[in-house]
Amino acid sequence: MSKFISDRFSDLEPYKPGEQTGNTECIKLNTNESPYPPSPKVMEAISLQEVEKLNLYPDYSGINLRKKIAKLYNVSYENIVIGNGSDEVLSMIFMAFFDHKSTVVFPEISYDFYKVFSQLYGIKYMEMPMNGDFSISFKDYLGINKDIILANPNAPTGIYLSLENIERIISSNPENLVVIDEAYIDYGGESAYKLIDKYDNLLVVQTFSKSRSLAGARLGFAIGNRELIRDLNMIRFSMNPYNVNRLTLIAGESSIDDNEYYMKNCKEVMETRSFVTEKLRSMGFQVIDSMTNFVFAKIKALEGKILYEELKKRGILVRRYDKELISNYLRITIGTKEQMEIFLQRIREILKLKV
Ligand code: PMP
């Protein structure tokens, strides 16, 4: 740290993203990207003509994209704010709605960025204990009079909380904001966006990074009532009105035009997820039932760190965590069926060698 760093950040522990590797030989199952390319419509839309326009700023209102997202969810464009990945949208939410007077609550095992944003913006936070099987006890969140952020389905566990229970949490905390981070909702869950007219304290955050194969383009959005979205746009215009670049706006719009392509890919991922879950269980793994594009698994016979390293040696990257409670688990992104067959083969080899 230089002597110039603000005192505010002396204890900041930044987010640690999963490794990115230039090695195209490796099977990358560590950052929950889609194994499928963007739709052919996206490739067509990002033409040389559009690249030639990169001397011009993008449309800061993002109106065409917001209208397309709105149509897909049967809401108004005034209910949508867009960002440079949902990480940026989450960051804007923390900045806009939480302050030193707030306490934001999230599960003790969840997306690490919630803690990072709390530290970044000087917001008190509380990590809510979970059940022994890592499920969230929704009752713990009823009427707690604190702001809440929940990833649903949760990450890295993959566990989904029913919309019914999500609604109970929202309705019992009317004076506090409830943020539902739905990065993985397209893999079998039911979105809470349907509740935005009923509750003025709800924000739903989604991303184009997973189910819509645009992790590299950086595009995320929030759905909420007009007042909340107006507040978020105020923050966006005070920070970076051009936060979504020209090519990403186009990619986002054309990916919505080909919604079927993505829904078909999600179905495929869900089928492969069942296949992988079953195979891992038959080898002795404990695998949590997942509603996402990854599975969270461990095997008693082998430490998570060793399994992670053995897989890496064999050209397969998965994600592991140092946090004690989950240090033996691996988070494995669901790739194509072919990739997962190779993954399972490598697991078999490792188990034969090490167990
Ligand atoms: N929320 C959750 C729960 C995630 O796992 C991720 C992906 N790391 C994000 C948000 C952020 O995704 P992105 O910024 O790519 O939209």
Side-chain angles (χ1 to χ4, degrees):
M1 256 180 204
S2 80
K3 64 181 180 188
F4 301 108
I5 188 78
S6 159
D7 287 347
R8 286 188 318 229
F9 303 128
S10 52
D11 294 332
L12 184 64
E13 291 168 57
Y15 178 73
K16 288 194 198 79
E19 291 153 87
Q20 294 299 337
T21 163
N23 178 3
T24 47
E25 304 280 286
C26 132
I27 298 183
K28 200 170 169 302
L29 307 177
N30 69 332
T31 44
N32 298 341
E33 290 135 327
S34 169
Y36 306 108
S39 130
K41 285 198 180 168
V42 172
M43 321 270 204
E44 246 170 69
I46 301 188
S47 60
L48 198 58
Q49 264 167 315
E50 293 299 336
V51 175
E52 272 172 359
K53 290 188 210 152
L54 283 178
N55 57 317
L56 305 174
Y57 284 108
D59 170 18
Y60 55 76
S61 75
I63 192 76
N64 293 338
L65 174 61
R66 288 166 70 206
K67 281 189 170 162
K68 290 216 180 202
I69 298 172
K71 194 162 172 218
L72 189 67
Y73 292 100
N74 203 17
V75 294
S76 156
Y77 74 91
E78 291 167 301
N79 297 118
I80 309 285
V81 63
I82 55 174
N84 192 297
S86 57
D87 282 338
E88 191 191 44
V89 176
L90 291 167
S91 175
M92 292 193 289
I93 291 173
F94 272 73
M95 201 191 291
F97 301 113
F98 307 146
D99 57 31
H100 63 281
K101 297 190 294 284
S102 329
T103 301
V104 59
V105 182
F106 42 84
E108 63 179 328
I109 306 291
S110 193
Y111 186 35
D112 288 339
F113 238 130
Y114 306 151
K115 190 169 160 183
V116 177
F117 286 138
S118 303
Q119 290 179 352
L120 180 67
Y121 295 120
I123 299 154
K124 287 195 284 296
Y125 60 90
M126 184 186 140
E127 295 173 283
M128 186 72 93
M130 308 164 89
N131 297 325
D133 60 359
F134 298 134
S135 62
I136 289 170
S137 163
F138 77 91
K139 289 188 181 143
D140 293 343
Y141 294 83
L142 297 183
I144 57 172
N145 251 331
K146 291 183 175 63
D147 299 310
I148 296 169
I149 179 155
L150 293 173
N152 194 39
N154 197 12
T157 61
I159 299 174
Y160 172 72
L161 196 59
S162 73
L163 189 55
E164 206 183 350
N165 288 339
I166 290 282
E167 182 167 2
R168 288 187 175 131
I169 295 172
I170 302 164
S171 66
S172 72
N173 291 287
E175 299 308 318
N176 291 90
L177 195 66
V178 180
V179 181
I180 309 295
D181 175 356
E182 296 187 338
Y184 302 101
I185 198 68
D186 291 332
Y187 300 99
E190 195 181 354
S191 172
Y193 82 86
K194 296 174 192 118
L195 303 174
I196 61 158
D197 286 334
K198 205 164 160 191
Y199 300 102
D200 65 2
N201 61 330
L202 167 65
L203 272 171
V204 176
V205 179
Q206 291 198 7
T207 178
F208 280 62
S209 294
K210 320 288 176 187
S211 57
R212 292 183 196 277
S213 304
L214 282 180
R218 311 304 299 125
L219 183 59
F221 61 98
I223 315 183
N225 79 41
R226 282 160 211 236
E227 283 72 39
L228 292 176
I229 297 300
R230 217 178 287 138
D231 292 343
L232 286 171
N233 266 317
M234 176 182 76
I235 295 298
R236 197 171 72 88
F237 275 79
S238 310
M239 208 176 68
N240 182 8
Y242 301 117
N243 60 341
V244 180
N245 74 68
R246 292 187 80 91
L247 298 181
T248 297
L249 284 173
I250 292 168
E253 286 164 36
S254 30
S255 74
I256 293 201
D257 290 340
D258 205 357
N259 199 41
E260 272 169 35
Y261 168 84
Y262 295 104
M263 294 309 114
K264 190 178 128 280
N265 288 347
C266 286
K267 203 167 151 256
E268 206 123 308
V269 166
M270 289 189 272
E271 279 164 19
T272 311
R273 179 178 75 199
S274 306
F275 165 77
V276 172
T277 303
E278 189 200 313
K279 292 285 175 199
L280 284 175
R281 281 181 183 156
S282 72
M283 285 187 247
F285 277 85
Q286 248 175 279
V287 187
I288 297 179
D289 278 327
S290 167
M291 287 281 266
T292 63
N293 66 341
F294 57 84
V295 288
F296 203 49
K298 72 168 181 182
I299 187 159
K300 261 208 180 112
L302 212 52
E303 253 179 60
K305 195 164 190 291
I306 294 175
L307 188 51
Y308 163 87
E309 275 158 11
E310 291 297 324
L311 280 166
K312 194 170 173 180
K313 273 191 218 160
R314 290 165 176 78
I316 295 182
L317 264 187
V318 296
R319 186 83 186 256
R320 66 167 296 276
Y321 299 85
D322 287 327
K323 207 169 192 167
E324 207 182 319
L325 212 51
I326 52 172
S327 63
N328 278 325
Y329 278 85
L330 297 183
R331 193 196 69 186
I332 305 144
T333 304
I334 303 296
T336 60
K337 182 90 186 281
E338 295 71 36
Q339 287 176 322
M340 298 322 281
E341 269 164 359
I342 299 172
F343 161 78
L344 291 166
Q345 189 50 40
R346 298 291 173 265
I347 291 274
R348 275 183 213 109
E349 287 165 21
I350 296 165
L351 293 187
K352 221 182 260 168
L353 211 69
K354 295 273 170 189
V355 180

